[in-house]
Amino acid sequence: MAGDGPDRDAVLRAIRRGEGNFGKREIARLLKLKGDERIGLKRVLSALESEGVIQRTARRTYAVADASPGVRLVEIVDRDTDGELLARPEKSDPGDPLIRMAPGQGASGRAGGALGVGERALVKIERDQDGEPVARLIKRLGQSAHRILCVYRADGSRPRLVPVDRRSKNELIPSKDSPLSPKNGDLVICELAKDRQHGLKSGRIIEVVGNENEARASSVISLAAHGVPEGFNDNEIEQAEKAKPATVRNREDLRHLPLVTIDPEDARDFDDAVLAEPDEDPKNKNGWVVWVAIADVAHYVTPNSPLDRGALKRGNSVYMPDRVVPMLPERLSNDLCSLRPDEDRACMAARMVFNASGDKIGHTFHRGLMRSSARLTYAQAQAAFEGNPGPEAADVVTSTLQPLWKAYQAVKTARQRRSPLEIDSPERKVRVDEQGNVVSITRYERFAAHMLIEEFMIQANVCAAETLEQKRLPLIYRVHDEPSREKLTALADYLPQVGMKWSMSGPVKPERFNQLLSQARNRDYEEVVNEVVLRSQSQAIYSTENLGHFGLNLQRYAHFTSPIRRYADLTVHRGLIKACKLGDDGQTNEEASKLSGIAEDITHTERRAMAAERDSVDRYIASFLSDRVGSEFQGRITGVTRFGAFVRLAETGADGLAPVSSLGDDYFHHDEKAHALIGRRTGGRFELGQNVTVRLKEAAPITGGLILEILDKPKRGRPSGGGRGGPPHRGGGAPGRSGGGAGRKFDRKPRGKGKGGKPGRGGPRKGK
């Protein structure tokens, strides 16, 4: 950096990376500017702007003057009920909202003939009069390789293909050159044939993946719809079967340590074990030593081996209500790498030292052989912490659990001082029997034992990042950027609706969000404030550039604690092996050179898994509710859009859509700032957080969609005469976007473990 400010080229690179979304704060953070350097940044930005090199947007962000931040490559994937085309941006995440082409773009197209489903196009993203994103065609790019999952129907006069995606409203007909002959009810994957201007589109059937009437069809559909790879090739199986248990040779013998595993009740594999003991160093009075031992997956999955290539392709394990799609074969995930009690297991261990105030004052990494003393569930550990140990915990209460609890009390005070983001976003747990029937839908019960394990996993992850930085080895960080100015503006616009406020001039820190959440606690609007704060957050990703972790309020953070089911952790283990000279099977130069691309890939596979898991839960719940069509439920509005209100049912946590056409005898428009649908004539309002009674009108297990009717009258309000200068909406527009719900959590924690093919979605995930 120059003495009077940052280098101009560095600033330009940061602006280009932001694609029009970075303001001064984001640029300074990316360039790691502090103090006077931030003042220098202001001068550089002013100079670049006056020279016409950059321009400031309406949102007070910066864009390179010759760049087009709103230009995207898209695939045209469907039409809504009004006939307008729906597009999905390339490299978007599964489940991301579709973008509507601007009216008329599909009818005439450009450069000869109509633009149709199945084509690729270069478009410019704009906002319509209701603030919704729309795409305007710049250039058509020809046919895409878009594939779609459908149910084959042969129960009428002619066969048809019914898409399973709830956002797809139009059926297809099988093309004449389809090589397969499916049966009625089969789940098939199709390639879209050339779109016809009139009548139904056609699809070429290229694969049959199951039948809609099979047990557990909900998971089959979700996995296929999101392209989640299943199974292992012969080379992977061969390598896994040849693997032998590790011995103490070239390892530190840690079998004397009374480590224990604490996991969900239905876990089948155990990849982390913990232990705490008083620090005997007289210089650290009342301090603690905490061990976190993690399965040594790197011992078995070596760089560029068949197992390694397969694990990278999957990226992570995927957890459905009825099954687990594991990242590694069962020989490893449920056997050699599982820290089962009373069995010798290879491990990578972090030995962490905390002072009496809970601050970490030192750590080391060890590659050893351990022997778990007990396998406990969260409930069993919690009972022991409360002084009521069962027989499973009796032998380790004094040696492990009591000191573990005392160490946590110290570390918890340090966590409170750190003040990470504390959003309350309950998760649903769907239990499924052997026949694929839903037997219960409950909220995860969260104990102090969960938080104990989570905090020690977080501390071990911090140690991993710190060590690799100190040793100057490249690594994949888990990063979580601070909220964008656009999202903070939306939060500030909404909070006055519930008598709260957010100042845009104040510092953006997790502590400020926690103050908001505390103010809302035990109020009628507590849930909705949690909801809007959650929606204001960025989503965590993997990156070789350290942006810190905003949600955890940490400067550096990397995933280390779940290598059985996350590829990111495996790369970190290999880095530590090399950095700490713990073996010759650590990070290679080839892997180090590819870490940036790996980070992109595993961010995508993680999003893919999250979308598949979410859709599977939705489909199982829709199946569960399908025989209760016509019943009434209590719910709460969790989202509003131009085409209706999304309502979360209190009984099951399921989200359904109440179409705008069903809201009453008025023309409703979407007020984006108020998060409300407002009647033009009466001023009646349906708004975010509003409690409502609804009737279930439709439940579709194949798509996971629920259609609801709100039985309550809208809240009284003042007539507004339309929204944002545009026409009001009454019915019509199709839900061409995935919607509703609380949005995604800002980070993903590993699910409770499970054996491949068996129920294993056990409780809140460990680590952020």
Side-chain angles (χ1 to χ4, degrees):
M1 299 296 174
D4 59 347
D7 179 74
R8 287 165 55 103
D9 289 340
V11 174
L12 280 171
R13 285 195 296 271
I15 293 171
R16 285 195 175 95
R17 180 175 174 186
E19 297 182 336
N21 295 311
F22 282 3
K24 186 172 68 174
R25 186 196 306 271
E26 289 82 6
I27 296 169
R29 186 149 191 227
L30 181 64
L31 297 179
K32 300 180 180 177
L33 304 181
K34 297 179 180 178
D36 291 343
E37 292 176 324
R38 291 193 172 224
I39 299 174
L41 172 63
K42 185 176 181 179
R43 289 196 293 267
V44 172
L45 289 171
S46 296
L48 289 171
E49 188 174 2
S50 65
E51 294 166 14
V53 178
I54 63 174
Q55 57 192 17
R56 199 181 320 204
T57 72
R59 296 180 290 118
R60 302 179 68 82
T61 60
Y62 292 94
V64 178
D66 60 354
S68 300
V71 174
R72 301 288 298 273
L73 284 173
V74 299
E75 287 182 285
I76 310 301
V77 297
D78 203 2
R79 293 183 187 273
D80 66 17
T81 53
D82 291 333
E84 302 296 352
L85 294 170
L86 301 174
R88 176 179 289 122
E90 290 194 353
K91 295 187 178 180
S92 64
D93 296 309
D96 276 359
L98 301 181
I99 299 172
R100 183 167 52 91
M101 295 293 292
Q105 299 282 287
S108 58
R110 295 186 187 176
L115 182 68
V117 173
E119 290 194 68
R120 297 170 68 244
L122 189 67
V123 301
K124 184 175 183 181
I125 308 298
E126 301 175 347
R127 295 273 176 177
D128 67 11
Q129 291 176 325
D130 285 321
E132 299 286 349
V134 296
R136 294 195 179 277
L137 178 66
I138 296 175
K139 183 179 181 180
R140 60 193 307 165
L141 301 174
Q143 199 77 3
S144 75
H146 180 63
R147 289 156 42 113
I148 188 168
L149 180 66
C150 299
V151 179
Y152 181 81
R153 300 286 189 209
D155 50 1
S157 57
R158 68 172 179 175
R160 63 195 190 283
L161 300 167
V162 182
V164 302
D165 191 330
R166 74 185 71 173
R167 297 167 296 186
S168 297
K169 297 298 179 183
N170 297 304
E171 298 179 354
L172 294 78
I173 58 172
S175 65
K176 294 180 180 179
D177 63 341
S178 293
L180 302 175
S181 299
K183 300 175 183 177
N184 185 45
D186 276 352
L187 299 165
V188 298
I189 293 176
C190 310
E191 286 179 345
L192 286 173
K194 184 174 176 59
D195 193 29
R196 303 185 302 171
Q197 184 129 10
H198 304 288
L200 296 176
K201 301 181 289 294
S202 59
R204 185 172 183 267
I205 301 169
I206 59 173
E207 185 179 353
V208 178
V209 297
N211 189 280
E212 65 173 329
N213 296 317
E214 292 175 359
R216 304 185 180 89
S218 295
S219 291
V220 172
I221 293 171
S222 298
L223 292 168
H226 292 285
V228 175
E230 294 186 81
F232 305 92
N233 63 38
D234 292 343
N235 291 333
E236 290 177 89
I237 296 297
E238 181 181 4
Q239 184 183 351
E241 292 301 323
K242 285 182 176 179
K244 304 295 183 185
T247 65
V248 77
R249 183 173 176 269
N250 297 328
R251 290 180 175 274
E252 191 173 344
D253 194 342
L254 303 177
R255 287 175 290 184
H256 63 285
L257 296 176
L259 291 151
V260 300
T261 62
I262 303 176
D263 295 279
E265 182 179 356
D266 53 1
R268 297 292 183 270
D269 56 69
F270 320 108
D271 59 2
D272 54 78
V274 291
L275 164 70
E277 54 193 8
D279 190 1
E280 297 179 356
D281 186 344
K283 296 180 181 179
N284 188 28
K285 186 178 180 181
N286 298 322
W288 296 94
V289 174
V290 176
W291 288 82
V292 170
I294 306 297
D296 187 2
V297 175
H299 174 74
Y300 301 100
V301 183
T302 50
N304 206 31
S305 64
L307 281 173
D308 183 46
R309 292 191 294 270
L312 177 57
K313 179 180 71 174
R314 285 176 283 275
N316 44 257
S317 299
V318 183
Y319 295 86
M320 304 298 211
D322 65 327
R323 72 187 71 195
V324 175
V325 180
M327 185 180 79
L328 298 172
E330 195 172 313
R331 168 67 172 158
L332 299 183
S333 63
N334 195 40
D335 186 3
L336 295 179
C337 295
S338 185
L339 307 181
R340 299 191 298 216
D342 302 320
E343 295 185 23
D344 291 352
R345 287 291 181 261
C347 69
M348 286 283 292
R351 181 186 184 272
M352 302 176 289
V353 182
F354 297 91
N355 63 23
S357 298
D359 298 310
K360 183 173 69 67
I361 59 175
H363 70 268
T364 51
F365 280 95
H366 306 256
R367 202 175 193 188
L369 192 72
M370 62 159 285
R371 191 176 181 88
S372 173
S373 298
R375 175 274 196 266
L376 302 177
T377 68
Y378 284 116
Q380 290 166 349
Q382 186 65 36
F385 292 149
E386 294 173 355
N388 302 302
E392 306 85 358
D395 293 340
V396 291
V397 169
T398 302
S399 63
T400 306
L401 297 181
Q402 288 179 352
L404 195 63
W405 181 251
K406 292 177 182 177
Y408 171 61
Q409 298 310 303
V411 174
K412 185 170 69 170
T413 62
R415 176 189 171 93
Q416 291 167 344
R417 291 195 301 272
R418 194 176 84 233
S419 190
L421 195 56
E422 301 286 2
I423 297 176
D424 181 17
S425 181
E427 293 188 61
R428 295 172 285 170
K429 181 169 185 176
V430 179
R431 292 187 180 275
V432 180
D433 63 20
E434 291 295 326
Q435 289 69 46
N437 300 312
V438 177
V439 295
S440 67
I441 302 170
T442 59
R443 285 189 174 189
Y444 285 114
E445 188 174 7
R446 188 165 168 81
F447 301 109
H450 288 103
M451 293 178 275
L452 178 152
I453 292 297
E454 181 178 90
E455 186 59 26
F456 286 139
M457 296 301 124
I458 288 171
Q459 293 297 329
N461 288 337
V462 171
C463 292
E466 289 178 347
T467 294
L468 292 175
E469 275 196 1
Q470 290 164 3
K471 299 292 185 179
R472 300 186 180 278
L473 255 71
L475 72 147
I476 293 176
Y477 294 93
R478 181 63 166 181
V479 301
H480 178 229
D481 209 353
E482 67 181 34
S484 68
R485 186 172 184 85
E486 185 177 22
K487 288 187 175 183
L488 289 176
T489 300
L491 176 68
D493 286 343
Y494 175 73
L495 286 175
Q497 308 290 325
V498 292
M500 302 176 72
K501 64 180 181 179
W502 176 274
S503 170
M504 294 295 290
S505 62
V508 182
K509 295 182 178 179
E511 185 177 5
R512 285 189 65 198
F513 290 104
N514 289 340
Q515 290 169 355
L516 275 181
L517 298 170
S518 179
Q519 292 171 29
R521 194 160 296 131
N522 299 321
R523 304 286 184 92
D524 291 342
Y525 47 80
E526 178 180 1
E527 284 189 59
V528 71
V529 171
N530 270 271
E531 195 114 8
V532 294
V533 169
L534 176 60
R535 291 179 182 179
S536 72
Q537 303 304 307
S538 303
Q539 191 168 6
I541 63 170
Y542 293 109
S543 174
T544 52
E545 294 188 48
N546 184 22
L547 301 178
H549 199 297
F550 179 80
L552 294 175
N553 203 7
L554 292 168
Q555 292 184 340
R556 54 191 60 83
Y557 191 68
H559 274 165
F560 160 75
T561 54
S562 295
I564 289 179
R565 55 190 182 277
R566 286 189 312 217
Y567 192 84
D569 305 56
L570 178 57
T571 68
V572 169
H573 276 231
R574 289 175 180 157
L576 291 169
I577 291 169
K578 181 176 181 179
C580 302
K581 299 180 180 179
L582 299 174
D584 57 6
D585 51 352
Q587 183 187 89
T588 63
N589 292 336
E590 181 184 6
E591 182 182 46
S593 69
K594 294 179 178 178
L595 286 181
S596 180
I598 290 173
E600 263 189 55
D601 289 344
I602 60 180
T603 295
H604 174 75
T605 60
E606 178 187 60
R607 304 274 177 90
R608 177 181 69 188
M610 292 170 68
E613 291 170 359
R614 183 175 61 247
D615 284 0
S616 179
V617 168
D618 289 346
R619 288 185 169 96
Y620 269 114
I621 292 179
S623 176
F624 180 67
L625 294 174
S626 60
D627 61 353
R628 297 179 66 183
V629 170
S631 298
E632 296 181 10
F633 299 88
Q634 298 302 308
R636 183 173 58 85
I637 295 177
T638 57
V640 288
T641 69
R642 68 183 182 88
F643 49 81
F646 288 95
V647 178
R648 179 164 302 153
L649 305 184
E651 181 180 325
T652 60
D655 293 307
L657 172 68
V660 70
S661 58
S662 70
L663 296 183
D665 189 19
D666 201 347
Y667 290 82
F668 286 85
H669 73 269
H670 177 211
D671 187 320
E672 192 174 9
K673 287 188 176 181
H675 292 263
L677 288 164
I678 302 176
R680 179 183 182 186
R681 180 173 54 82
T682 65
R685 301 164 62 94
F686 290 102
E687 59 190 20
L688 186 69
Q690 184 175 338
N691 293 317
V692 291
T693 301
V694 297
R695 178 181 291 117
L696 179 60
K697 298 192 70 176
E698 180 184 332
I702 292 297
T703 65
L706 303 177
I707 301 298
L708 307 171
E709 177 187 5
I710 296 178
L711 302 180
D712 298 308
K713 292 181 178 180
K715 288 185 176 181
R716 296 180 64 180
R718 296 171 58 186
S720 61
R724 301 176 64 101
H729 297 282
R730 183 184 183 187
R737 299 160 174 78
S738 62
R744 301 170 183 168
K745 284 194 175 180
F746 64 83
D747 206 343
R748 171 181 172 80
K749 298 177 284 184
R751 283 287 180 193
K753 297 91 167 191
K755 181 177 179 180
K758 301 289 184 181
R761 185 181 178 126
R765 303 170 171 127
K766 295 178 184 173
K768 298 278 185 179

